[in-house]
Amino acid sequence: GSPVLVESPTYPGTLAVARAAGLRPVPVPVDTDGVRTDLLADAFAATRARLFVCQPLFHNPTGAVLSAHRRGEVLRVARAAGAFVVEDDFARRLVHADSPASPPPLAADDPDGVVVHIRSLTKATSPSLRIGALTARGPARERLRAVHVVDGLLVPRPLQETALELLGSPAWPRHLRTLAEALRQRRVALLAALRGVLPGLVPQRPPRGGYHLWARLPDGTDERAVVASALRHGVAVTAGGPYFPVEPPAPHLRLSHVGVPGATHLEEGVRRLRRALAGDAAPAGGPAGPE
């Protein structure tokens, strides 16, 4: 029943884990510069929460990057509240080739052990390479280490060897450069397709990292009906509702650009999505388009 502060919207997996642990997610709104730190302070004061979970870099689903001023404010507010920050840095290796330099993790600016930093090799490598990393300082580190020993003991040796061989290879930086360019091309292709037939879904500030776009639908749109109609047209998109801890303020869609072979399929997917939004009859044929 204890409160945990989360961004709104946020990754549905975060909400599921919190609720499974018996915690009560409390939303703090996000805008184009990341979490609203003025409201974060109010939320800590109102709830007396001891934990805030955030994604400062290429936030899922909005793609926002926490602004320089707000980075310092998150740490200051959490420290004043006697709380911890869990920094979910999932997209650190998903930067696009045309992105400016990414800011360092929040943990890099935290000498006091306020931030618990988590990241993963999985998204930049393979879904089967289940390797994550957790970094903490002080008493939090010791408690987390003790829990890890009880829960998992250790990472299986074959996975450790695979990760070491990959990260120590000259192919690793080359792979990251290739990935960054591929993600840039996918983002450009999806945005171009949207501007051509669905300009109203183009985000205000498209992210230059991650693998999806967050699209606002017109007020009153039934996003679940849109998702169902899109699927009948052979294109898979995600409803925005599950990304909100409470009632969504507006309908949204999450459009991924990595689940298809390339630009041609993205363009076809957007055309099918337009027909789904227009209520046209579903065509025959297999699935295509943004996932």
Side-chain angles (χ1 to χ4, degrees):
S2 298
V4 54
L5 304 186
V6 298
E7 295 161 316
S8 181
T10 191
Y11 173 50
T14 297
L15 302 177
V17 168
R19 288 165 178 153
L23 301 175
R24 176 170 54 89
V26 176
V28 184
V30 169
D31 62 20
T32 54
D33 289 320
V35 66
R36 289 276 305 277
T37 46
D38 55 332
L39 301 179
L40 179 64
D42 292 343
F44 271 124
T47 65
R48 300 188 180 276
R50 299 296 305 280
L51 185 65
F52 170 51
V53 183
C54 64
Q55 303 169 90
L57 185 65
F58 307 129
H59 170 263
N60 181 10
T62 67
V65 175
L66 190 64
S67 68
H69 171 69
R70 292 187 185 181
R71 287 170 55 86
E73 281 294 288
V74 166
L75 298 178
R76 183 191 67 78
V77 168
R79 193 176 294 115
F84 289 99
V85 175
V86 172
E87 179 182 15
D88 180 0
D89 203 14
F90 81 100
R92 177 71 46 181
R93 297 296 187 188
L94 301 178
V95 62
H96 298 180
D98 59 351
S99 175
S102 298
L106 289 180
D109 299 326
D110 167 46
D112 304 320
V114 170
V115 177
V116 175
H117 176 266
I118 56 176
R119 63 193 297 181
S120 169
L121 277 178
T122 303
K123 284 185 168 56
T125 56
S126 164
S128 299
L129 190 61
R130 308 300 292 178
I131 295 282
L134 184 152
T135 307
R137 292 185 175 94
R141 175 181 178 272
E142 297 308 315
R143 290 179 64 182
L144 289 165
R145 187 174 185 177
V147 169
H148 175 63
V149 169
V150 172
D151 283 353
L153 188 59
L154 51 81
V155 176
R157 177 70 177 265
L159 283 182
Q160 293 189 51
E161 294 286 357
T162 300
L164 284 171
E165 184 173 346
L166 173 65
L167 297 180
S169 166
W172 176 240
R174 185 166 64 247
H175 165 71
L176 292 179
R177 290 193 297 270
T178 301
L179 176 63
E181 176 58 22
L183 290 171
R184 183 197 69 82
Q185 292 177 8
R186 296 296 184 88
R187 184 201 79 230
V188 169
L190 180 52
L191 285 171
L194 288 172
R195 290 188 180 108
V197 298
L198 288 171
L201 298 191
V202 175
Q204 177 182 349
R205 191 185 296 178
R208 296 191 179 187
Y211 48 85
H212 63 269
L213 299 179
W214 183 241
R216 166 75 182 267
L217 292 171
D219 290 341
T221 303
D222 184 341
E223 62 181 35
R224 293 188 179 277
V226 169
V227 169
S229 177
L231 194 59
R232 290 193 296 271
H233 283 76
V235 58
V237 294
T238 307
Y243 291 82
F244 291 90
V246 293
E247 188 71 21
H252 291 82
L253 291 179
R254 182 180 180 274
L255 310 177
S256 172
H257 50 68
V258 297
V260 294
T264 301
H265 286 76
L266 288 169
E267 293 163 2
E268 174 62 19
V270 171
R271 285 193 291 269
R272 294 188 184 194
L273 180 59
R274 181 191 60 78
R275 291 196 293 267
L277 285 165
D280 295 348
E291 194 174 77

